[in-house]
């Protein structure tokens, strides 16, 4: 449908790339509030502890390899042990500095740091054990990259995979060198291992999020086999093994086995870390939005109007997220859960009512009605917490109305009080949206609800409504605590107009016709 150029547009005189001011934003809170001296001190202590434990695992692997020769090994190679310990602490310091500037969630939430070091330890132990008892070439070298790539943004995953590659290299050159350990790695093997972890891991990180099901993740093994095989064959040229048919076949077989084992271990371990640390992967998000998810099933059965509203809001929000480069699957899942608080008293909300409005009993107490309506945000967060769902969902549930006034009951209070009502008593308690996704769901929720009352659902009418609702929230400073830009809001407006005109499209009127047996 062609756009109506005469329809109202948002006021975007400001530069489109300029963010709305971030007074009191979450970024500021991380510096001034959450990331305080106590958090920093605790995180440094944990960093030292986890690094020491990781070094302990390394030494334990040497103990397993040396058996009765352990004392002689440490006596002859104490310089390598010291070098490894110093290198490990330096790598941890580099990680910490990166966390401070790029991923403060690792410092503020201690479970994130535990998750990272536990994952490194598990991947390292599996890498050592399979390399020691199967083959150096059969190590699951991209296991860490697969899991960290699923849990983290690409930039963070690439950095952490590089650190992991260096950790393995340090171990193989200073603790597990073939000149020291009984079954150690040669210099060529250690360099090949480093390159496979780094290069194979890079490919895994860029591809893993595109895998839509756990089963199709098996394709990763064949994709990663190409760089792994090339690196192993080229790096082993000096040894002469690849010049023999047997040596070449061994490298091919064990390289393929290593890639397959990496993917199989990923499929085994990823759901465990997902549950233990409440990670939001694409697999988990699809499970949470299926009709068999417990809260979704309750919402569909107990509050069908709210369920249908949430489905349409999810559709709108997903389109908006795609338009501005946010995670569409996370946005869609968050929209499904944003109104879960209405389960506490579904018939008090208009979309679930069937003729009778239960608020009529409070017609002289609009404050009571307002309290019931706005409580669905906090009750929604409570439902989400009690069902052990991601914290991000509870944040959206609380933030998706910000501090907006409930105008229907405020207007009633004004009539009853002769204009003396305080608007604060009829407003949501906040906080305002802290993320772009929260802002998207705030706008989508308001537009979906308001559009149901439109008599004229033409594109121009829908566009005017969406523009008005966004402008209202701008005027009431609802986006002051998230880094959404005017360009983002313009793209969100366009996406919602397209989606709503599609949802409420016109149909051809069917002719009246009386069916009877004679028509057969």
């Amino acid at each position: 449908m062609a756009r109506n150029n005469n329809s109202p547009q948002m006021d975007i005189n400001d530069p489109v790339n300029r963010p709305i001011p971030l007074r009191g934003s979450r970024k500021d809170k991380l510096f001034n509030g959450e990331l305080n001296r106590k958090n920093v001190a605790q995180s440094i202590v944990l960093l030292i502890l986890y690094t020491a434990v990781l070094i302990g695992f390394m030494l334990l692997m040497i103990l397993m390899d040396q058996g009765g020769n352990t004392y002689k090994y440490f006596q002859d190679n104490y310089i390598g042990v010291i070098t490894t310990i110093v290198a490990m602490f330096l790598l941890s310091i580099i990680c910490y500095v990166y966390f401070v500037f790029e991923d403060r969630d690792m410092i503020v939430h201690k479970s994130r740091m535990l998750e990272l070091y536990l994952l490194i330890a598990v991947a390292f132990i599996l890498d050592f054990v399979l390399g020691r008892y199967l083959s150096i070439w059969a190590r699951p070298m991209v296991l860490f990259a697969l899991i960290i790539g699923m849990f983290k943004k690409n930039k963070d995953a690439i950095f952490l995979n590089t650190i992991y590659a260096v950790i393995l290299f340090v171990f193989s050159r200073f603790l597990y060198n073939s000149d020291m350990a009984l079954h150690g790695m040669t210099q060529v093997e250690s360099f090949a291992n480093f390159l496979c972890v780094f290069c194979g891991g890079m490919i895994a990180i860029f591809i893993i999020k595109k895998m839509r099901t756990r089963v199709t993740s098996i394709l990763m093994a064949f994709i990663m086999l190409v760089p792994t095989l090339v690196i192993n064959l080229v790096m082993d040229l000096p040894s002469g093994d690849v010049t023999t048919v047997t040596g070449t076949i061994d490298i091919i077989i064990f390289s393929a086995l290593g890639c397959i084992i990496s993917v199989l271990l990923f499929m085994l371990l990823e759901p465990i870390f997902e549950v233990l640390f409440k990670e939001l992967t694409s697999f988990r998000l699809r499970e949470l939005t299926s009709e068999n998810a417990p809260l979704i099933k309750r919402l569909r059965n107990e509050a069908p109007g709210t369920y249908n509203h949430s489905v349409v809001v999810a559709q709108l929000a997903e389109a908006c997220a795609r338009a501005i480069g946010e995670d569409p699957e996370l946005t869609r899942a968050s929209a499904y859960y944003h109104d879960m608080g209405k389960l506490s008293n579904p018939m008090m909300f208009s979309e679930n009512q069937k003729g009778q409005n239960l608020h009529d009993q409070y017609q002289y107490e609009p404050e009571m009605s307002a309290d019931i309506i706005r409580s669905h945000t906090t009750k929604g967060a409570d439902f989400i917490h009690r069902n052990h769902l991601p914290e991000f969902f509870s944040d959206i549930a609380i933030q998706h109305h910000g501090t907006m006034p409930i105008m229907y009951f405020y207007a009633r209070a004004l009539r009853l009080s002769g204009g003396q009502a305080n608007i604060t008593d009829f407003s949501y308690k906040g906080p305002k949206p802290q993320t772009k996704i929260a802002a998207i769901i705030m706008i989508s929720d308001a537009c979906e609800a308001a559009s149901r009352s439109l008599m004229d659902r033409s594109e121009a009418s829908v566009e005017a409504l969406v523009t008005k609702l966004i402008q209202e929230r701008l005027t009431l400073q609802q986006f002051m605590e998230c880094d959404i830009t005017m360009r983002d809001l313009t793209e969100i407006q366009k996406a919602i107009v397209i989606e709503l005109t599609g949802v409420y499209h016109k149909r051809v009127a069917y002719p009246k016709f009386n069916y009877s047996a004679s028509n057969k």
Side-chain angles (χ1 to χ4, degrees), residues 119-355:
L119 179 56
I120 291 174
V122 170
F124 172 79
I125 291 171
L126 289 170
D127 190 86
F128 173 85
V129 171
L130 291 173
R132 166 74 172 77
Y133 295 104
L134 189 58
S135 169
I136 289 293
W137 307 111
R139 293 180 165 202
M141 291 176 284
V142 292
L143 171 62
F144 179 82
L146 286 171
I147 300 180
I148 207 69
M150 179 60 74
F151 292 164
K152 294 287 184 181
K153 294 179 181 177
N154 286 353
K155 179 179 67 173
D156 296 341
I158 289 169
F159 172 78
L160 293 171
N161 182 65
T162 304
I163 293 293
Y164 179 70
V166 175
I167 288 172
L168 289 183
F169 182 74
V170 168
F171 173 75
S172 63
R173 294 312 303 141
F174 295 104
L175 285 186
Y176 201 53
N177 191 310
S178 60
D179 295 333
M180 305 173 186
L182 295 177
H183 304 88
M185 298 173 67
T186 64
Q187 184 173 356
V188 168
E189 289 169 341
S190 63
F191 274 100
N193 191 73
F194 172 79
L195 288 174
C196 285
V197 173
F198 180 76
C199 298
M202 290 278 281
I203 294 173
I205 288 166
F206 283 113
I207 295 178
I208 187 60
K209 288 191 177 74
K210 300 184 185 299
M211 298 294 114
R212 296 302 177 189
T213 63
R214 300 188 198 271
V215 176
T216 56
S217 299
I218 296 174
L219 293 173
M220 290 290 298
F222 298 99
I223 296 172
M224 293 181 300
L225 177 59
V226 176
T228 301
L229 194 55
V230 170
I231 290 169
N232 286 342
L233 289 173
V234 171
M235 292 299 293
D236 204 55
L237 278 172
S239 70
D241 286 346
V242 296
T243 59
T244 66
V245 175
T246 304
T248 303
I249 291 175
D250 283 347
I251 291 176
I252 292 173
I253 291 174
F254 284 118
S255 295
L257 188 60
C259 292
I260 293 170
I261 290 173
S262 293
V263 173
L264 292 177
L265 287 172
F266 160 75
M267 294 176 68
L268 173 67
L269 294 173
E270 187 267 343
I272 296 173
F273 277 85
E274 192 178 82
V275 172
L276 285 177
F277 297 100
K278 298 182 181 179
E279 289 288 355
L280 283 174
T281 66
S282 56
F283 303 136
R284 177 67 172 152
L285 289 173
R286 290 191 197 100
E287 292 167 357
L288 291 174
T289 54
S290 75
E291 291 193 353
N292 293 321
L295 277 185
I296 297 293
K297 186 181 292 186
R298 276 195 63 188
L299 192 67
R300 189 177 71 248
N301 294 334
E302 299 176 25
T306 300
Y307 171 75
N308 290 325
H309 161 73
S310 297
V311 170
V312 180
V313 170
Q315 179 182 333
L316 300 179
E318 183 178 3
C320 294
R322 291 186 191 279
I324 67 172
E326 286 296 305
D327 186 334
E329 290 187 327
L330 177 58
T331 306
R332 176 175 174 270
S334 302
Y336 266 94
Y337 286 85
H338 80 284
D339 267 347
M340 280 298 167
K342 293 182 179 180
L343 280 173
S344 63
N345 203 343
M347 298 309 295
M348 297 301 292
F349 297 88
S350 59
E351 66 267 26
N352 299 309
Q353 293 170 357
K354 298 177 181 178

Side-chain angles (χ1 to χ4, degrees), residues 70-125:
T70 304
Y71 179 76
K72 185 176 184 306
Y73 168 87
F74 284 112
Q75 189 178 39
D76 295 341
N77 303 295
Y78 65 91
I79 293 178
V81 174
I82 293 172
T83 302
T84 301
I85 293 172
V86 172
M88 288 299 298
F89 277 105
L90 284 175
L91 289 172
S92 291
I93 291 171
I94 292 170
C95 281
Y96 191 84
V97 172
Y98 180 86
F99 298 154
V100 169
F101 288 99
E102 298 292 339
D103 191 7
R104 295 180 197 127
D105 188 56
M106 299 286 285
I107 298 173
V108 175
H109 300 99
K110 309 305 181 297
S111 62
R112 295 300 177 212
M113 192 179 293
L114 172 61
E115 177 187 23
L116 173 62
Y117 276 87
L118 181 60
L119 179 56
I120 291 174
V122 170
F124 172 79
I125 291 171

